[in-house]
């Protein structure tokens, strides 16, 4: 797993040791690097992408989390074309499973053993499927 860190590797590694809050963008394409910075260095995921010369419109190609020692808040927005799955429920289920796996892997690699949470404002996907969970299992 490759990581690109903003503003640079040394600085972000120091943030990791201090368990600073981070923004992380995990690409759907496993051949691309995970992007990360301290929350206060990027503020939003589209800004994080811009720091690396990635078009901010490509935001829908990433699982997006803001993480600290206690929780990883997942910006749960499933693209309408995710994996080419047309059935909404199957697409969201796949997105959830893929995202949970990807996010858990990144968090464990960087040593943040935080609860993965989906904030209330992103639960509309689950509510339409009859599940109002705020936490992932």
């Amino acid at each position: 797993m490759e990581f690109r860190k903003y503003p640079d590797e040394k600085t972000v590694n120091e943030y990791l040791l201090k368990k600073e809050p981070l923004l992380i963008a995990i690409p759907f394409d496993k051949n691309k690097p995970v992007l990360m910075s301290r929350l206060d260095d990027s503020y939003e995921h589209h800004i994080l992408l811009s720091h690396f010369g990635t078009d901010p419109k490509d935001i829908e190609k990433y699982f997006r989390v803001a993480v600290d020692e206690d929780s990883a808040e997942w910006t749960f927005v499933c693209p309408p074309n995710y994996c080419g799955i047309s059935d909404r429920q199957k697409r969201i289920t796949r997105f959830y499973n893929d995202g949970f796996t990807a996010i858990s892997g990144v968090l464990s690699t960087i040593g943040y053993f935080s609860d993965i949470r989906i904030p209330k404002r992103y639960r509309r996907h689950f509510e339409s499927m009859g599940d109002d969970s705020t936490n992932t299992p």
Side-chain angles (χ1 to χ4, degrees):
M1 184 178 309
E2 179 187 350
F3 290 88
R4 290 187 62 205
K5 301 171 181 176
Y6 179 84
D8 57 63
E9 180 121 3
K10 180 181 182 291
T11 303
V12 174
N13 288 345
E14 290 171 4
Y15 295 159
L16 289 166
L17 288 173
K18 293 188 243 176
K19 298 292 189 213
E20 293 276 342
L22 302 171
L23 275 183
I24 303 173
I26 305 164
F28 300 162
D29 180 347
K30 295 176 182 155
N31 295 314
K32 295 193 175 199
V34 173
L35 307 177
M36 63 189 325
S37 77
R38 191 174 64 140
L39 182 65
D40 291 343
D41 290 340
S42 294
Y43 304 105
E44 299 287 339
H45 286 94
H46 66 279
I47 296 170
L48 174 64
L49 268 61
S50 295
H51 288 314
F52 295 101
T54 300
D55 188 340
K57 290 183 261 177
D58 285 346
I59 196 77
E60 286 193 358
K61 296 177 182 176
Y62 292 83
F63 298 109
R64 304 179 305 261
V65 291
V67 62
D68 62 26
E69 283 186 278
D70 300 317
S71 70
E73 291 199 354
W74 181 4
T75 303
F76 193 94
V77 179
C78 181
N81 61 350
Y82 186 72
C83 291
I85 302 170
S86 58
D87 180 272
R88 185 174 190 274
Q89 185 168 358
K90 288 179 183 176
R91 182 177 62 247
I92 292 169
T93 300
R94 173 76 179 271
F95 182 78
Y96 173 89
N97 290 333
D98 291 351
F100 190 83
T101 299
I103 293 166
S104 297
V106 167
L107 293 179
S108 109
T109 299
I110 66 171
Y112 279 62
F113 298 98
S114 311
D115 293 335
I116 299 173
R117 299 182 183 275
I118 299 171
K120 186 174 183 174
R121 67 189 171 278
Y122 298 111
R123 279 190 271 146
R124 67 187 179 283
H125 296 293
F126 297 112
E127 291 165 355
S128 69
M129 294 178 4
D131 181 358
D132 66 347
S133 300
T134 57
N135 296 307
T136 55

